[in-house]
Amino acid sequence: MMSTNCHGVHDVAGDLTLCGFVVSSSFPKTILNGDENTLVFENLNPNTLYEVSITAIYPDESESDDLTGSERTTPKSGPRNLQVYNATSNSLTVKWDPASGRVQKYRITYQPSAGEGNEQTTMVGGRQNSVLLQKLKPDTPYAITVSSLYPDGEGGRMTGRGKTKPLNTVRNLRVYDPSTSTLNVRWDHAEGSPRQYKLFYAPTAGGPEELVPIPGNTNYAILRNLQPDTSYTVTVVPAYSEGDGGRTSDTGKTLVRGLARNVQVYNPTPNSLDVRWGSAPGPVQQYRVVYSPLAGQRPSESVSHAVVVELDRRML
C-alpha cells in the first residue's frame, strides 16, 4: 500500500520513518497519517463483535505485521433514571440519563394516568436529555414514557409518573358591607404574580355576567349600580401570562330600598312639632318630609334637609 502526504516521525528504536497506518476491519480500509493514533468508527451495529487490524506503512512502501484487536459494541439500551419534576398547573419537566451509544432521537409519549384523552407524542434529539411538557390538564396525574431510538430501531424505554398542580386561586374571598346599590369585594392574593384579576358578577338567580378587570397588585373592588334587595354571585380569577387560574366565588346581597321606620311626632308648641324616625336601610342621601294641616285647603309642603321640622304657625 502506498501512502501519500507522508508526515515522517522517527522511531525511538532506530531511524525508521513512519509514514502512515492502514486500519482494516470487516469494512473498507482506512489510511491515516503517521502522526495520528486514534480513529472512531461510526454507524456500527449494536452488540456486535468487531475485529480491527492496524498495519504500519513506511516510506519505502514496506509494511509491518498486522496488530489485531477486537471489541464488541454495546447493546442498544433505554434511558435511565427518569425524573418528572417542577410541576405547574399546566406543565411537567421530564429528565433522564442518556441511553448508551449513538442515540438518534428520544420519543416521549404521555397521557393522563386514568386513560382520559389521547396519547400525545413529542420527539427530541439524541443529545438532549430533558423536555418540558406543556398544555397539560391541571391537578392531573400523567404517565410518561421515554424511548431511545437508534438508526435501526428502538433501544428501550422507561416510564415515570408525575402530577400537575391545581390551578392557582385567590383565597379568603369576601363580599361584605352591602348597600342598596353596592357591594364591597376583597380577597387574598393568589400565588405567583398574576398580571391581573378577572372579577365576574351576576345575579345569583340568573342573568348576564359582568366582567371587571382588576390590576394584579390590587385585591379589592367596589361593585356599583347594583339592583336593591338582590343576591349576587361574585367570582375572582387570577390571570397569568400562561393562562387563567381557578375560579373562586362568594355571594352577597344588596339591601332593600326601604322606608323610614317608627315615625314619631312629639313635643308640640303653638307653632312647631318635632319629628323623628328610624333610619331607612342603606346610605340614605336625604330625607324628604312632607306636611300639611289635616283640615283646610292649604296645599302640603315639604323639606328635604332637616330632621327636626318646625311647622308654620299659620298652619296650626
Side-chain angles (χ1 to χ4, degrees):
M1 261 187 196
M2 258 324 258
S3 173
T4 59
N5 299 324
C6 179
H7 299 282
V9 294
H10 291 285
D11 187 355
V12 293
D15 296 327
L16 291 176
T17 301
L18 188 61
C19 180
F21 289 101
V22 174
V23 182
S24 63
S25 64
S26 57
F27 35 83
K29 293 180 175 61
T30 301
I31 298 179
L32 303 178
N33 292 326
D35 58 353
E36 298 180 83
N37 66 349
T38 61
L39 178 63
V40 177
F41 293 110
E42 298 182 338
N43 300 319
L44 307 182
N45 294 323
N47 196 26
T48 300
L49 182 64
Y50 284 88
E51 183 179 89
V52 180
S53 65
I54 302 175
T55 305
I57 305 172
Y58 295 89
D60 60 359
E61 300 184 14
S62 62
E63 299 182 1
S64 70
D65 293 336
D66 292 344
L67 176 65
T68 302
S70 63
E71 184 62 86
R72 180 179 296 274
T73 54
T74 58
K76 293 186 294 185
S77 70
R80 306 178 306 278
N81 192 27
L82 181 64
Q83 302 173 55
V84 183
Y85 64 103
N86 198 24
T88 72
S89 60
N90 59 9
S91 69
L92 292 168
T93 301
V94 184
K95 184 179 181 181
W96 59 90
D97 291 344
S100 61
R102 298 181 66 84
V103 178
Q104 192 174 53
K105 291 182 179 180
Y106 288 100
R107 180 179 62 226
I108 301 96
T109 58
Y110 56 99
Q111 71 178 135
S113 300
E116 302 172 355
N118 296 327
E119 184 179 76
Q120 300 184 68
T121 301
T122 187
M123 297 280 218
V124 298
R127 295 185 178 182
Q128 189 171 332
N129 70 330
S130 65
V131 66
L132 177 63
L133 304 180
Q134 297 179 297
K135 297 182 179 180
L136 306 181
K137 297 178 180 178
D139 197 23
T140 301
Y142 277 83
I144 302 164
T145 299
V146 180
S147 305
S148 56
L149 302 180
Y150 294 82
D152 61 342
E154 182 179 318
R157 60 180 62 186
M158 188 172 190
T159 298
R161 297 183 183 275
K163 184 178 181 181
T164 51
K165 289 184 175 181
L167 287 171
N168 286 341
T169 59
V170 302
R171 295 163 293 168
N172 299 325
L173 177 63
R174 305 175 297 283
V175 181
Y176 65 101
D177 196 17
S179 74
T180 57
S181 61
T182 64
L183 290 170
N184 286 262
V185 185
R186 185 176 290 273
W187 59 90
D188 294 345
H189 283 293
E191 293 182 359
S193 300
R195 57 186 180 84
Q196 71 171 2
Y197 292 100
K198 296 179 180 179
L199 190 156
F200 301 92
Y201 67 96
T204 304
E209 191 173 56
E210 302 288 341
L211 168 62
V212 180
I214 306 294
N217 60 356
T218 302
N219 66 334
Y220 63 89
I222 300 175
L223 304 181
R224 303 181 186 277
N225 301 318
L226 305 180
Q227 296 298 315
D229 193 26
T230 301
S231 178
Y232 284 86
T233 298
V234 180
T235 301
V236 179
V237 180
Y240 301 86
S241 55
E242 62 272 19
D244 290 351
R247 297 170 67 95
T248 302
S249 298
D250 194 16
T251 58
K253 187 176 182 180
T254 52
L255 299 178
V256 177
R257 186 171 292 164
L259 303 173
R261 296 161 294 170
N262 303 324
V263 176
Q264 300 176 43
V265 182
Y266 66 100
N267 195 24
T269 71
N271 60 1
S272 69
L273 291 171
D274 289 346
V275 183
R276 66 182 176 190
W277 55 87
S279 299
V284 177
Q285 187 175 29
Q286 286 184 320
Y287 290 99
R288 182 173 64 246
V289 182
V290 179
Y291 58 96
S292 65
L294 293 178
Q297 301 300 316
R298 188 180 179 90
S300 60
E301 299 185 36
S302 66
V303 293
S304 58
H305 61 282
V307 173
V308 178
V309 179
E310 183 174 334
L311 302 182
D312 192 318
R313 178 192 298 271
R314 293 170 298 176
M315 298 177 57
L316 299 177

